[in-house]
Structure formats: structure tokens, C-alpha cells
Amino acid sequence: MKRFAISAASAALLLSAVPALAAAPEVVRSPLTDPYLVSGQTTRMVFPDLLTVETWGSPAAKEVETSALSQWMLSAALPVREGSRLVKFGTDPQVYAVGPQGKLHWITTERIASALYGKDWNRRVATLFTSYFPHYRLGADIASALYPDGTLLKYDGSPTVYYVINGVARPFASERAFRENRFSFDSVVTAKGRFAYVKGNPVNGWESDLNLLPGTP
């Protein structure tokens, strides 16, 4: 990750600007710590591993002094970003899609997994430590070939990427809008067939509704 040091005075200014960061969370770290996402006026969330960092678009971290970082209370560990990877925990065979706010959606059969993510769907599966399970919460099972909320979807032959939410597919207006919301193009699923979605309003830039964290409304 790219690092750059700032002075104690600058760190104080950064702390005073936390309300602004809450609108568009920042990634910060001290010289001897892992990166954290500042998710509110007084809280921070840690990236538990490199995989999680990558699913949030591998954001560069601003370096602050330890004394400044400690003024944000550690609240939780970040889950894998929605739509990025399928996950399983330790030796548990159940495979989940990750939705917004760290919701886990169990994919009930291999046939459904193949229909949604292709015959090589298992290559999307990341095995996480069992101890990470409390970072997530359970959502509805996936019992039919319908993509869960938070899926990044494009149709075969078209470059347009959509964010699926509540049965609506919202197109990203530009690559800039896609990256501002900390998504990775490696996460995009290419649908071979036509799925029935209502086309929603375009995503033109960073949106808080696309960056909900655990514990947020």
C-alpha cells in the first residue's frame, strides 16, 4: 500500500475533519499498524487480511501518528466487500455470497452456484478463518438462480457494469464512479443469459448507500 507521513499538526487536522470522513470514509494507518477504515466520528474498522483489502479496491492508506489513530475507537473488523468473492469458513463446506453490510447468503446447491457464477464458480471461493464468522451476519439463502444484493453484473457482449439491489440493476456511469465506490473489476460477474431486472438510476460517483458497513442503517 502507498504510504506517506504527515505531521502531528496535520494529524490533528485530520481528526477534526472526521465528520467529513464519515460521508466518504478514509483509510488510515500508523507506521506499525494494519490499515483501518474510519467509519464514523469516533470509530475505525480494521482490514483483517490482504484479501479483504483487495476486495475493497486496494485503497491507499494515509499514514497518521499512533497517538492520532488511537483516538478512533476500534469497533470491528471489515467483512469482505459485497459481490467480490464467494466465501466459506474453515472446514465448513457451506459456500456463501456476501451482500451489503456483511450479510451471508448460503448458496444451497452447486447447480445454482454454476448458473450464477459459471462452471468455474469454485475459483471465486475464498476460505476465511472460522474466527472471522462473527464479522458477518446471516441473510436469506440463495435457493434459485437469482443474484443477491450487492452483485456487480455485466451482460455478455456489453461493457456496462450494474450494481444489483432489491431487484434493480443500477449502471455505473463511468469507470471513475465505479472506482470511487471502491469496487474492483475482478469482482464483476458476466451473465450469459438475460436476467429480469428493472434498470435503475445510474451511479455517477461515490454513494453512501453503496458503502454501507455493519451496524449502519
Side-chain angles (χ1 to χ4, degrees):
M1 289 190 178
K2 183 179 178 181
R3 296 186 178 187
F4 58 93
I6 63 176
S7 67
S10 296
L13 287 174
L14 181 60
L15 280 171
S16 68
V18 172
L21 297 182
E26 287 282 353
V27 178
V28 299
R29 71 186 305 162
S30 74
L32 300 177
T33 68
D34 292 326
Y36 296 89
L37 186 75
V38 178
S39 60
Q41 187 169 355
T42 60
T43 61
R44 55 191 163 103
M45 303 180 74
V46 67
F47 292 88
D49 53 27
L50 180 59
L51 169 70
T52 306
V53 173
E54 291 173 345
T55 65
W56 284 85
S58 298
K62 293 182 179 179
E63 189 167 298
V64 301
E65 294 184 4
T66 303
S67 59
L69 181 62
S70 65
Q71 296 187 46
W72 282 296
M73 182 177 64
L74 181 61
S75 62
L78 278 162
V80 167
R81 186 71 195 269
E82 73 263 24
S84 60
R85 299 290 293 270
L86 305 177
V87 300
K88 63 186 294 291
F89 296 88
T91 58
D92 190 330
Q94 291 188 329
V95 174
Y96 304 89
V98 182
Q101 298 180 289
K103 282 188 177 180
L104 296 175
H105 301 279
W106 175 41
I107 305 174
T108 55
T109 68
E110 291 188 13
R111 178 184 59 81
I112 292 173
S114 181
L116 293 175
Y117 301 102
K119 63 180 181 180
D120 295 329
W121 63 270
N122 57 319
R123 294 186 179 181
R124 296 180 67 95
V125 179
T127 301
L128 306 180
F129 290 113
T130 305
S131 59
Y132 288 7
F133 191 78
H135 304 166
Y136 299 80
R137 56 181 178 166
L138 293 176
D141 295 347
I142 300 175
S144 61
L146 294 175
Y147 288 106
D149 285 353
T151 299
L152 299 170
L153 178 68
K154 66 185 291 292
Y155 291 109
D156 197 19
S158 171
T160 303
V161 178
Y162 299 87
Y163 183 89
V164 176
I165 186 74
N166 296 327
V168 175
R170 298 187 60 199
F172 288 91
S174 64
E175 180 178 341
R176 177 190 60 79
F178 184 88
R179 295 193 182 280
E180 281 186 357
N181 286 283
R182 296 195 178 98
F183 290 116
S184 169
F185 284 103
D186 291 339
S187 304
V188 177
V189 177
T190 300
K192 301 299 182 181
R194 288 288 172 178
F195 290 80
Y197 291 106
V198 175
K199 186 175 181 180
N201 294 328
V203 179
N204 295 308
W206 188 88
E207 291 188 13
S208 59
D209 286 348
L210 301 188
N211 288 273
L212 289 176
L213 300 171
T216 57

